Amino acid sequence: WGLWRWKALPPKMRELCRDRGIPVRDDYTLQAEPPAGREETVEIAGERTMEPDMAAQEPGGYDVDAIRRDFPILADIIYLDNAATSFSPEPVIAAMVEFEHRYRANVGRGVHRLTSIASHRYWHAHEKVAEFIGGKNGVTVFTKNTTESVNMVAQGLVWKTGDRVITTILEHHSNLLPWRRLARQGVATDSIGISPDYTLDLAALERAITESTRLVAVTQASNVLGVVTPVREIARICHGRGVLLLVDGAQAVPHLPVDVEELGCDFYCFSGHKMAGPTGTGVLWMKEPCIEPLVLGGGMVETVTADGYTPAQGYQQYEAGTPNIAGGIGLGVAVDYLQAIGMDRIHRYETDLTSRLIEMLSKNDRVRVYAPKDPAHRIGVVSFTVDGFHPHEVAQQIDEAADIMVRSGHHCCQPLVESLGLPGGTVRASLAFYNTRQEIDLLVATLDELTR
Ligand code: PLP
């Protein structure tokens, strides 16, 4: 990936400049002077590793302090809104700055040095993401976010009147509205409910599949209840009945080891910005590139003739126009970062934190927690309400009193919160791999104070 480049002109070009009268400085550079009083100090990522600074870590241990050093913002606040978006560690930010400072160029176009470096790194980020989710045999497309990924599938499949799509009550609006819109094309949607322990009613899903069912769209982990759905069993049911399966992995990829081939889905959608990657990044993984590209234009074609075109192969055909290059490269570094810690370890660590949070919250008799009992069926997304307070009041007061950031409201899951009898929604604390026990304890202490 060498960033070889000249600062002073090479001898041949010095001659050329002399012959043509092109002014160059005494040191044979063409660079403008930096503004007076400002030294040119460009810190770049290359000098440090892309891995978390965990040198001090004990073997097999989880050194959260070392991880937190890569997130300076955590020194000032207690951030428990990671389901909405997470923070990016320094190596991710440095990689994006490095792109801007050192080799910013468009990708997949031309042959010059900068475009080669940018194209390589952008392409390599796709490879890293594909490997991270066990999807090297499929097609990994970079998108803006989960929402765009789901819409690309809903709009990119060819439907016929009478087709049906099954979703569940757990779905985020982003995995609901794209299917509902298909009603215009004569496609109906069915919704599957949950059991009293918040787990998905698998028998109901099996019963709901008919001859007309084309696709099941289900979240792998709920962004309200934190419940994890049995995707492997759902895939087995779907494939036995010739039905496609789309999985919304927005809340799963940041917290669980994911292997899309093992899960057996046809489409897997998630957001880079919820897994330590930059905002404006997301992924659509497809087992087969079986959807029509939604957007056509530059960068997605092999050839264009007088009256036709041949689309490019692989992810390129789904990424028309100039993509979010810095974001894509940053996402690749986020994957390196998470892998260096290990998704298994992140999962174990967060499972402990989540159990502690649920247990401690449940001791306050004015707090009602909405979470599955079994730690094996949940991630670190914990919804609760506080008697006598609107969820927004709780969120605002604990921010003001203790710098604690949590989400409140319906979390873009209105049908679910309504079905739980909570029209005002819930308060939601959502964890990430950089949160600590002390932060959990402070949240609980602040809520105890509030209810006192
Ligand atoms: N699906 C789930 C389960 C989510 O939690 C979210 C966001 O919170 C989305 C989809 C939408 O993600 P994005 O806003 O990144 O498109």
Side-chain angles (χ1 to χ4, degrees):
W1 312 111
L3 287 177
W4 175 75
R5 56 193 295 198
W6 41 260
K7 285 217 164 67
L9 295 172
K12 259 255 155 323
M13 292 190 70
R14 294 176 199 178
E15 278 172 35
L16 202 66
C17 289
R18 200 173 47 232
D19 296 349
R20 301 282 179 96
I22 299 169
V24 289
R25 283 204 291 264
D26 294 345
D27 60 357
Y28 296 107
T29 61
L30 291 174
Q31 256 177 328
E33 294 280 358
R38 219 185 102 205
E39 291 299 307
E40 209 195 357
T41 51
V42 177
E43 291 292 331
I44 62 154
E47 274 75 27
R48 72 155 286 190
T49 137
M50 295 298 173
E51 295 174 3
D53 175 18
M54 293 174 80
Q57 177 195 308
E58 294 159 32
Y62 190 93
D63 191 345
V64 73
D65 292 335
I67 293 171
R68 287 170 72 86
R69 283 197 283 276
D70 280 327
F71 297 86
I73 192 170
L74 295 174
D76 302 325
I77 50 161
I78 295 176
Y79 187 73
L80 298 171
D81 192 17
N82 294 287
T85 196
S86 62
F87 294 139
S88 291
E90 287 296 299
V92 170
I93 295 161
M96 292 197 294
V97 171
E98 185 193 31
F99 166 77
E100 297 294 343
H101 282 164
R102 291 289 174 104
Y103 64 98
R104 176 168 161 150
N106 215 321
V107 290
R109 295 143 166 86
V111 296
H112 65 71
R113 193 180 322 164
L114 295 196
T115 193
S116 299
I117 298 168
S119 300
H120 245 90
R121 288 201 170 175
Y122 185 66
W123 164 84
H124 191 213
H126 286 72
E127 292 287 297
K128 290 196 277 194
V129 171
E131 208 166 316
F132 183 61
I133 57 164
K136 285 207 88 159
N137 293 326
V139 180
T140 302
V141 182
F142 282 0
T143 62
K144 278 208 306 273
N145 45 41
T146 307
T147 307
E148 185 174 52
S149 304
V150 177
N151 274 277
M152 279 169 69
V153 178
Q155 295 299 306
L157 285 170
V158 180
W159 302 95
K160 59 179 189 321
T161 305
D163 283 345
R164 300 187 84 85
V165 172
I166 297 179
T167 66
T168 81
I169 189 74
L170 294 171
E171 302 316 312
H172 188 281
H173 296 163
S174 293
N175 195 25
L176 179 64
L177 303 188
W179 310 113
R180 287 228 181 125
R181 178 158 72 172
L182 295 175
R184 292 186 203 152
Q185 289 165 247
V187 177
T189 45
D190 303 302
S191 179
I192 303 302
I194 48 177
S195 307
D197 64 355
Y198 305 129
T199 57
L200 191 68
D201 187 347
L202 205 56
L205 186 132
E206 202 157 3
R207 280 196 304 276
I209 296 180
T210 67
E211 286 288 292
S212 319
T213 308
R214 282 280 309 284
L215 183 138
V216 169
V218 66
T219 189
Q220 192 177 354
S222 161
N223 65 310
V224 178
L225 298 170
V227 64
V228 174
T229 60
V231 171
R232 273 186 206 84
E233 283 100 286
I234 297 171
R236 191 181 41 73
I237 295 168
C238 286
H239 293 153
R241 312 279 292 270
V243 172
L244 293 167
L245 173 62
L246 176 142
V247 176
D248 172 352
Q251 297 300 342
V253 177
H255 309 291
L256 309 169
V258 167
D259 186 319
V260 285
E261 283 183 17
E262 214 178 90
L263 289 177
C265 56
D266 299 283
F267 305 100
Y268 195 89
C269 309
F270 58 103
S271 299
H273 69 91
K274 294 183 196 287
M275 49 174 281
T279 54
T281 63
V283 178
L284 166 61
W285 177 85
M286 292 180 273
K287 194 164 159 189
E288 306 283 347
C290 59
I291 61 171
E292 287 292 318
L294 214 58
V295 182
L296 304 188
M300 57 75 64
V301 278
E302 201 62 58
T303 50
V304 181
T305 58
D307 52 5
Y309 70 94
T310 314
Q313 296 294 302
Y315 73 79
Q316 282 89 347
Q317 66 178 299
Y318 298 106
E319 294 190 20
T322 302
N324 176 1
I325 308 166
I329 291 168
L331 178 58
V333 176
V335 162
D336 293 340
Y337 192 90
L338 294 176
Q339 260 170 340
I341 304 171
M343 289 311 297
D344 276 318
R345 292 169 72 208
I346 287 176
H347 179 46
R348 274 199 304 276
Y349 177 74
E350 290 183 3
T351 301
D352 280 353
L353 285 189
T354 308
S355 297
R356 184 183 184 89
L357 175 59
I358 292 174
E359 208 176 292
M360 290 178 78
L361 282 177
S362 306
K363 287 188 184 144
N364 185 328
D365 58 12
R366 288 186 61 190
V367 174
R368 285 163 216 287
V369 182
Y370 307 88
K373 288 250 168 329
D374 185 351
H377 292 151
R378 67 189 185 210
I379 54 159
V381 169
V382 180
S383 265
F384 57 92
T385 51
V386 181
D387 291 351
F389 290 88
H390 190 281
H392 288 325
E393 264 181 307
V394 177
Q396 198 169 359
Q397 293 206 21
I398 65 176
D399 176 5
E400 277 167 22
D403 301 324
I404 299 175
M405 320 285 145
V406 290
R407 172 88 185 263
S408 51
H410 56 57
H411 316 297
C412 300
C413 277
Q414 235 169 329
L416 175 62
V417 294
E418 302 263 344
S419 78
L420 295 169
L422 303 167
T426 68
V427 186
R428 180 186 73 184
S430 54
L431 311 179
F433 59 96
Y434 42 65
N435 288 122
T436 63
R437 284 170 156 237
Q438 292 94 315
E439 289 179 319
I440 303 290
D441 295 356
L442 252 161
L443 168 68
V444 173
T446 311
L447 288 168
D448 287 347
E449 203 52 34
L450 187 74
T451 51
R452 201 157 27 236

PDB file of all heavy atoms in Angstrom, residues 6-10 13-14 17 22-33:
ATOM      1  N   TRP A   6       6.381  11.998  -4.851  1.00  0.00           N
ATOM      2  CA  TRP A   6       7.491  12.954  -4.785  1.00  0.00           C
ATOM      3  C   TRP A   6       7.037  14.266  -4.193  1.00  0.00           C
ATOM      4  O   TRP A   6       5.898  14.650  -4.337  1.00  0.00           O
ATOM      5  CB  TRP A   6       8.150  13.171  -6.141  1.00  0.00           C
ATOM      6  CG  TRP A   6       7.206  13.279  -7.307  1.00  0.00           C
ATOM      7  CD1 TRP A   6       6.917  12.295  -8.187  1.00  0.00           C
ATOM      8  CD2 TRP A   6       6.448  14.420  -7.716  1.00  0.00           C
ATOM      9  NE1 TRP A   6       6.023  12.734  -9.113  1.00  0.00           N
ATOM     10  CE2 TRP A   6       5.720  14.038  -8.853  1.00  0.00           C
ATOM     11  CE3 TRP A   6       6.315  15.716  -7.239  1.00  0.00           C
ATOM     12  CZ2 TRP A   6       4.880  14.916  -9.521  1.00  0.00           C
ATOM     13  CZ3 TRP A   6       5.470  16.588  -7.902  1.00  0.00           C
ATOM     14  CH2 TRP A   6       4.763  16.187  -9.032  1.00  0.00           C
ATOM     15  N   LYS A   7       7.976  14.894  -3.514  1.00  0.00           N
ATOM     16  CA  LYS A   7       7.714  16.265  -3.058  1.00  0.00           C
ATOM     17  C   LYS A   7       8.482  17.199  -3.994  1.00  0.00           C
ATOM     18  O   LYS A   7       7.922  18.117  -4.572  1.00  0.00           O
ATOM     19  CB  LYS A   7       8.170  16.448  -1.617  1.00  0.00           C
ATOM     20  CG  LYS A   7       7.211  15.779  -0.637  1.00  0.00           C
ATOM     21  CD  LYS A   7       7.063  16.606   0.641  1.00  0.00           C
ATOM     22  CE  LYS A   7       5.857  16.213   1.454  1.00  0.00           C
ATOM     23  NZ  LYS A   7       5.932  14.884   2.032  1.00  0.00           N
ATOM     24  N   ALA A   8       9.804  16.910  -4.154  1.00  0.00           N
ATOM     25  CA  ALA A   8      10.586  17.673  -5.132  1.00  0.00           C
ATOM     26  C   ALA A   8      10.396  16.991  -6.487  1.00  0.00           C
ATOM     27  O   ALA A   8      10.193  15.774  -6.563  1.00  0.00           O
ATOM     28  CB  ALA A   8      12.048  17.646  -4.738  1.00  0.00           C
ATOM     29  N   LEU A   9      10.422  17.779  -7.558  1.00  0.00           N
ATOM     30  CA  LEU A   9      10.220  17.207  -8.895  1.00  0.00           C
ATOM     31  C   LEU A   9      11.368  16.265  -9.246  1.00  0.00           C
ATOM     32  O   LEU A   9      12.535  16.564  -8.941  1.00  0.00           O
ATOM     33  CB  LEU A   9      10.167  18.329  -9.934  1.00  0.00           C
ATOM     34  CG  LEU A   9       8.991  19.290  -9.820  1.00  0.00           C
ATOM     35  CD1 LEU A   9       9.178  20.452 -10.799  1.00  0.00           C
ATOM     36  CD2 LEU A   9       7.694  18.574 -10.124  1.00  0.00           C
ATOM     37  N   PRO A  10      11.081  15.165  -9.923  1.00  0.00           N
ATOM     38  CA  PRO A  10      12.158  14.295 -10.386  1.00  0.00           C
ATOM     39  C   PRO A  10      13.002  15.024 -11.457  1.00  0.00           C
ATOM     40  O   PRO A  10      12.487  15.951 -12.113  1.00  0.00           O
ATOM     41  CB  PRO A  10      11.433  13.094 -11.006  1.00  0.00           C
ATOM     42  CG  PRO A  10       9.993  13.294 -10.753  1.00  0.00           C
ATOM     43  CD  PRO A  10       9.756  14.667 -10.258  1.00  0.00           C
ATOM     44  N   MET A  13      11.615  16.109 -14.858  1.00  0.00           N
ATOM     45  CA  MET A  13      10.602  17.158 -14.849  1.00  0.00           C
ATOM     46  C   MET A  13      11.214  18.523 -14.561  1.00  0.00           C
ATOM     47  O   MET A  13      10.690  19.550 -14.997  1.00  0.00           O
ATOM     48  CB  MET A  13       9.516  16.820 -13.850  1.00  0.00           C
ATOM     49  CG  MET A  13       8.722  15.623 -14.317  1.00  0.00           C
ATOM     50  SD  MET A  13       7.285  15.356 -13.342  1.00  0.00           S
ATOM     51  CE  MET A  13       6.289  16.749 -13.817  1.00  0.00           C
ATOM     52  N   ARG A  14      12.320  18.538 -13.809  1.00  0.00           N
ATOM     53  CA  ARG A  14      13.005  19.814 -13.573  1.00  0.00           C
ATOM     54  C   ARG A  14      13.453  20.391 -14.914  1.00  0.00           C
ATOM     55  O   ARG A  14      13.296  21.582 -15.190  1.00  0.00           O
ATOM     56  CB  ARG A  14      14.228  19.616 -12.676  1.00  0.00           C
ATOM     57  CG  ARG A  14      13.843  19.171 -11.276  1.00  0.00           C
ATOM     58  CD  ARG A  14      15.073  18.902 -10.443  1.00  0.00           C
ATOM     59  NE  ARG A  14      14.690  18.080  -9.309  1.00  0.00           N
ATOM     60  CZ  ARG A  14      15.516  17.618  -8.401  1.00  0.00           C
ATOM     61  NH1 ARG A  14      16.804  17.872  -8.480  1.00  0.00           N
ATOM     62  NH2 ARG A  14      15.085  16.868  -7.409  1.00  0.00           N
ATOM     63  N   CYS A  17      10.515  21.749 -16.846  1.00  0.00           N
ATOM     64  CA  CYS A  17      10.085  23.040 -16.317  1.00  0.00           C
ATOM     65  C   CYS A  17      11.018  24.146 -16.782  1.00  0.00           C
ATOM     66  O   CYS A  17      10.567  25.244 -17.160  1.00  0.00           O
ATOM     67  CB  CYS A  17      10.049  23.011 -14.785  1.00  0.00           C
ATOM     68  SG  CYS A  17       8.718  22.011 -14.158  1.00  0.00           S
ATOM     69  N   ILE A  22       8.342  27.025 -16.737  1.00  0.00           N
ATOM     70  CA  ILE A  22       7.365  26.855 -15.642  1.00  0.00           C
ATOM     71  C   ILE A  22       8.089  27.140 -14.327  1.00  0.00           C
ATOM     72  O   ILE A  22       9.111  26.507 -14.041  1.00  0.00           O
ATOM     73  CB  ILE A  22       6.791  25.416 -15.633  1.00  0.00           C
ATOM     74  CG1 ILE A  22       6.067  25.147 -16.964  1.00  0.00           C
ATOM     75  CG2 ILE A  22       5.855  25.186 -14.446  1.00  0.00           C
ATOM     76  CD1 ILE A  22       5.681  23.707 -17.187  1.00  0.00           C
ATOM     77  N   PRO A  23       7.586  28.096 -13.521  1.00  0.00           N
ATOM     78  CA  PRO A  23       8.344  28.457 -12.314  1.00  0.00           C
ATOM     79  C   PRO A  23       8.317  27.345 -11.266  1.00  0.00           C
ATOM     80  O   PRO A  23       7.266  26.764 -10.996  1.00  0.00           O
ATOM     81  CB  PRO A  23       7.621  29.705 -11.792  1.00  0.00           C
ATOM     82  CG  PRO A  23       6.278  29.683 -12.417  1.00  0.00           C
ATOM     83  CD  PRO A  23       6.339  28.875 -13.674  1.00  0.00           C
ATOM     84  N   VAL A  24       9.472  27.028 -10.723  1.00  0.00           N
ATOM     85  CA  VAL A  24       9.560  26.077  -9.598  1.00  0.00           C
ATOM     86  C   VAL A  24      10.427  26.727  -8.528  1.00  0.00           C
ATOM     87  O   VAL A  24      11.201  27.638  -8.808  1.00  0.00           O
ATOM     88  CB  VAL A  24      10.188  24.716  -9.998  1.00  0.00           C
ATOM     89  CG1 VAL A  24       9.262  23.921 -10.873  1.00  0.00           C
ATOM     90  CG2 VAL A  24      11.524  24.908 -10.667  1.00  0.00           C
ATOM     91  N   ARG A  25      10.279  26.243  -7.314  1.00  0.00           N
ATOM     92  CA  ARG A  25      11.091  26.821  -6.246  1.00  0.00           C
ATOM     93  C   ARG A  25      12.510  26.251  -6.281  1.00  0.00           C
ATOM     94  O   ARG A  25      12.774  25.259  -6.986  1.00  0.00           O
ATOM     95  CB  ARG A  25      10.412  26.549  -4.912  1.00  0.00           C
ATOM     96  CG  ARG A  25       9.238  27.471  -4.671  1.00  0.00           C
ATOM     97  CD  ARG A  25       8.980  27.601  -3.189  1.00  0.00           C
ATOM     98  NE  ARG A  25       8.472  26.333  -2.663  1.00  0.00           N
ATOM     99  CZ  ARG A  25       7.190  26.076  -2.509  1.00  0.00           C
ATOM    100  NH1 ARG A  25       6.298  26.977  -2.844  1.00  0.00           N
ATOM    101  NH2 ARG A  25       6.805  24.921  -2.021  1.00  0.00           N
ATOM    102  N   ASP A  26      13.381  26.873  -5.469  1.00  0.00           N
ATOM    103  CA  ASP A  26      14.775  26.429  -5.451  1.00  0.00           C
ATOM    104  C   ASP A  26      14.925  24.961  -5.070  1.00  0.00           C
ATOM    105  O   ASP A  26      15.863  24.295  -5.491  1.00  0.00           O
ATOM    106  CB  ASP A  26      15.587  27.272  -4.435  1.00  0.00           C
ATOM    107  CG  ASP A  26      15.662  28.723  -4.908  1.00  0.00           C
ATOM    108  OD1 ASP A  26      15.356  28.958  -6.106  1.00  0.00           O
ATOM    109  OD2 ASP A  26      16.003  29.593  -4.086  1.00  0.00           O
ATOM    110  N   ASP A  27      13.992  24.497  -4.222  1.00  0.00           N
ATOM    111  CA  ASP A  27      14.096  23.089  -3.813  1.00  0.00           C
ATOM    112  C   ASP A  27      13.321  22.161  -4.763  1.00  0.00           C
ATOM    113  O   ASP A  27      13.050  21.009  -4.448  1.00  0.00           O
ATOM    114  CB  ASP A  27      13.604  22.902  -2.373  1.00  0.00           C
ATOM    115  CG  ASP A  27      12.145  23.317  -2.213  1.00  0.00           C
ATOM    116  OD1 ASP A  27      11.544  23.795  -3.211  1.00  0.00           O
ATOM    117  OD2 ASP A  27      11.593  23.149  -1.112  1.00  0.00           O
ATOM    118  N   TYR A  28      12.936  22.695  -5.915  1.00  0.00           N
ATOM    119  CA  TYR A  28      12.234  21.936  -6.954  1.00  0.00           C
ATOM    120  C   TYR A  28      10.879  21.393  -6.501  1.00  0.00           C
ATOM    121  O   TYR A  28      10.467  20.320  -6.893  1.00  0.00           O
ATOM    122  CB  TYR A  28      13.099  20.767  -7.472  1.00  0.00           C
ATOM    123  CG  TYR A  28      14.356  21.246  -8.143  1.00  0.00           C
ATOM    124  CD1 TYR A  28      15.586  21.097  -7.520  1.00  0.00           C
ATOM    125  CD2 TYR A  28      14.298  21.847  -9.389  1.00  0.00           C
ATOM    126  CE1 TYR A  28      16.744  21.557  -8.120  1.00  0.00           C
ATOM    127  CE2 TYR A  28      15.448  22.314  -9.996  1.00  0.00           C
ATOM    128  CZ  TYR A  28      16.669  22.167  -9.359  1.00  0.00           C
ATOM    129  OH  TYR A  28      17.797  22.626  -9.953  1.00  0.00           O
ATOM    130  N   THR A  29      10.217  22.142  -5.637  1.00  0.00           N
ATOM    131  CA  THR A  29       8.856  21.741  -5.271  1.00  0.00           C
ATOM    132  C   THR A  29       7.876  22.684  -5.938  1.00  0.00           C
ATOM    133  O   THR A  29       8.210  23.818  -6.270  1.00  0.00           O
ATOM    134  CB  THR A  29       8.623  21.772  -3.741  1.00  0.00           C
ATOM    135  OG1 THR A  29       8.825  23.112  -3.308  1.00  0.00           O
ATOM    136  CG2 THR A  29       9.543  20.819  -3.013  1.00  0.00           C
ATOM    137  N   LEU A  30       6.639  22.182  -6.090  1.00  0.00           N
ATOM    138  CA  LEU A  30       5.577  23.020  -6.645  1.00  0.00           C
ATOM    139  C   LEU A  30       4.592  23.418  -5.557  1.00  0.00           C
ATOM    140  O   LEU A  30       3.617  24.083  -5.815  1.00  0.00           O
ATOM    141  CB  LEU A  30       4.802  22.235  -7.722  1.00  0.00           C
ATOM    142  CG  LEU A  30       5.549  21.925  -9.013  1.00  0.00           C
ATOM    143  CD1 LEU A  30       4.694  21.028  -9.892  1.00  0.00           C
ATOM    144  CD2 LEU A  30       5.898  23.191  -9.771  1.00  0.00           C
ATOM    145  N   GLN A  31       4.897  22.947  -4.335  1.00  0.00           N
ATOM    146  CA  GLN A  31       3.932  23.170  -3.262  1.00  0.00           C
ATOM    147  C   GLN A  31       3.845  24.625  -2.851  1.00  0.00           C
ATOM    148  O   GLN A  31       4.873  25.314  -2.801  1.00  0.00           O
ATOM    149  CB  GLN A  31       4.332  22.368  -2.037  1.00  0.00           C
ATOM    150  CG  GLN A  31       3.469  21.136  -1.879  1.00  0.00           C
ATOM    151  CD  GLN A  31       3.919  20.324  -0.698  1.00  0.00           C
ATOM    152  OE1 GLN A  31       5.104  20.301  -0.386  1.00  0.00           O
ATOM    153  NE2 GLN A  31       2.992  19.664  -0.070  1.00  0.00           N
ATOM    154  N   ALA A  32       2.628  25.061  -2.529  1.00  0.00           N
ATOM    155  CA  ALA A  32       2.467  26.414  -2.010  1.00  0.00           C
ATOM    156  C   ALA A  32       3.067  26.473  -0.611  1.00  0.00           C
ATOM    157  O   ALA A  32       3.097  25.472   0.095  1.00  0.00           O
ATOM    158  CB  ALA A  32       0.992  26.761  -1.953  1.00  0.00           C
ATOM    159  N   GLU A  33       3.531  27.690  -0.235  1.00  0.00           N
ATOM    160  CA  GLU A  33       4.039  27.873   1.137  1.00  0.00           C
ATOM    161  C   GLU A  33       2.894  27.660   2.121  1.00  0.00           C
ATOM    162  O   GLU A  33       1.792  28.142   1.879  1.00  0.00           O
ATOM    163  CB  GLU A  33       4.512  29.333   1.311  1.00  0.00           C
ATOM    164  CG  GLU A  33       5.701  29.709   0.482  1.00  0.00           C
ATOM    165  CD  GLU A  33       7.008  29.227   1.090  1.00  0.00           C
ATOM    166  OE1 GLU A  33       6.956  28.627   2.177  1.00  0.00           O
ATOM    167  OE2 GLU A  33       8.054  29.431   0.465  1.00  0.00           O
TER     168      GLU A  33
END
